[in-house]
Amino acid sequence: MKHRACLLKEFSKPLVIEEVQTPTLKPYEVLIKVLAAGVCHSDLHLWLGDFVPQGLPKKLPIVLSHEVVGEVVDVGEGVPSNFRRGVKVLVYPWQYVEEDQLTIKGFTQLARKRLRLGIDVDGGLQEYLISNYKFLVSIEGIEDIPALAPLGCAALTTYRAVKKARTFVEPDDYVVLIGLGGLGSYAAQWIKLLIPYSRLVGVDVRDEAIEFVSKITNVDVVVNASKEDPTKVLNELTSGLGVKAVIDLVGSPETVSKYINVVDTLGVYVLVGHMGRVEVPIPRPRIIRNEITITGSYTGSLADQYEVISLVRRGLLKYREVVTKRYRFEEVNEAFNTLKEGKVVGRQVVLIT
């Protein structure tokens, strides 16, 4: 059996749709007909070759996209009956080769031997995909399956980041969210849901991004950093004390060097984005004397993924509103070019079948 797949063969060159051999099922594996796949900024960086210095992607050609939803069409030996044919699933993309001390503790996304979709192994921009059943989460009964694809990365990543910041925040503390694009539209909702007693400050350099997120959820204070000095605004809001948490979805040298200086004593700076290749100096004496925490937050665990889907089932996340563009499979290069040109507000998905 063969199926169509979208292949990255050369960096920055158009992706190519070709027929490839459909893998044979092994025990505990599931064959999934891909319904939709999201296009993430990480996919853009992989396409451009930005991650080559880090040894990524692990192979060429490779099928990109780690945001995948689909339908079970066949199962291997040992697969539980709840993943029967016809069941709609989200594929948890942060997979791994084997259990280790980290995965056993629940840090599945930090496994020693990783098999990340679209990064280490082929991802979702293809008609069929095989996965071990333990990395599948049922999305049966949830409306608008294609709009669920970004929950495997954008919604998951921001969910974990907000959970990490939550423990530092007390009532009426300010939480600053840097970057109100595709990730930010989920993050702002998570902050309002998980830290409802905080005051949310949303920062971006684009009016359209600020307006987009403000329509989805209530942002207490918005700052366009291209028009006003965010440091001055934050110091005025906190009477010079600083904010308790910064969640940086950009992670550029400019954002880190600026916003680390507005974190209050015993506050936290959560690094999620990784724009730019330049290392960032930090104000070491201030961090030490005020016991400020700087922490990274990488995607989310399998347990986090189940929590995200559970909250979606309860109607607590506006996921459909975040997806602003849907492309046909044959339009995949348009999706990448639009993202490259900075024209995307919200998230975009490619409809595969």
Side-chain angles (χ1 to χ4, degrees), residues 50-192:
D50 292 341
F51 293 159
V52 170
Q54 302 170 37
L56 302 174
K58 288 292 182 65
K59 69 186 188 86
L60 281 181
I62 191 170
V63 178
L64 296 176
S65 182
H66 48 269
E67 299 180 338
V68 190
V69 289
E71 178 182 334
V72 175
V73 293
D74 200 4
V75 297
E77 181 184 349
V79 175
S81 60
N82 53 311
F83 290 116
R84 62 191 179 280
R85 293 174 179 83
V87 170
K88 305 297 192 301
V89 295
L90 179 144
V91 185
Y92 176 71
W94 316 107
Q95 302 185 8
Y96 50 86
V97 178
E98 60 190 18
E99 299 286 357
D100 57 39
Q101 70 270 37
L102 291 170
T103 64
I104 291 171
K105 291 178 181 177
F107 300 106
T108 50
Q109 78 280 17
L110 302 179
R112 301 293 187 188
K113 297 181 180 179
R114 303 177 188 182
L115 283 179
R116 297 163 294 184
L117 297 187
I119 301 172
D120 303 308
V121 295
D122 288 332
L125 286 173
Q126 55 181 328
E127 292 175 321
Y128 290 93
L129 174 73
I130 281 182
S131 172
N132 188 294
Y133 81 86
K134 69 181 180 182
F135 299 118
L136 304 181
V137 183
S138 174
I139 50 176
E140 276 291 302
I142 305 179
E143 296 181 350
D144 198 351
I145 296 297
L148 296 172
L151 301 188
C153 177
L156 174 67
T157 297
T158 50
Y159 179 71
R160 179 171 178 77
V162 173
K163 284 175 67 177
K164 295 188 83 167
R166 178 173 55 179
T167 58
F168 293 82
V169 181
E170 297 179 355
D172 289 332
D173 281 342
Y174 284 93
V175 176
V176 177
L177 177 62
I178 304 171
L180 300 180
L183 285 174
S185 51
Y186 295 108
Q189 294 186 72
W190 292 135
I191 291 169
K192 285 298 180 178

Side-chain angles (χ1 to χ4, degrees), residues 28-65:
Y28 308 109
E29 289 185 339
V30 174
L31 179 63
I32 300 153
K33 180 171 72 173
V34 179
L35 300 177
V39 178
C40 178
H41 261 99
S42 296
D43 294 310
L44 178 65
H45 289 302
L46 288 162
W47 175 54
L48 295 174
D50 292 341
F51 293 159
V52 170
Q54 302 170 37
L56 302 174
K58 288 292 182 65
K59 69 186 188 86
L60 281 181
I62 191 170
V63 178
L64 296 176
S65 182

Side-chain angles (χ1 to χ4, degrees), residues 242-254:
V243 302
K244 265 299 164 60
V246 173
I247 300 174
D248 190 347
L249 303 180
V250 179
S252 69
E254 292 76 20

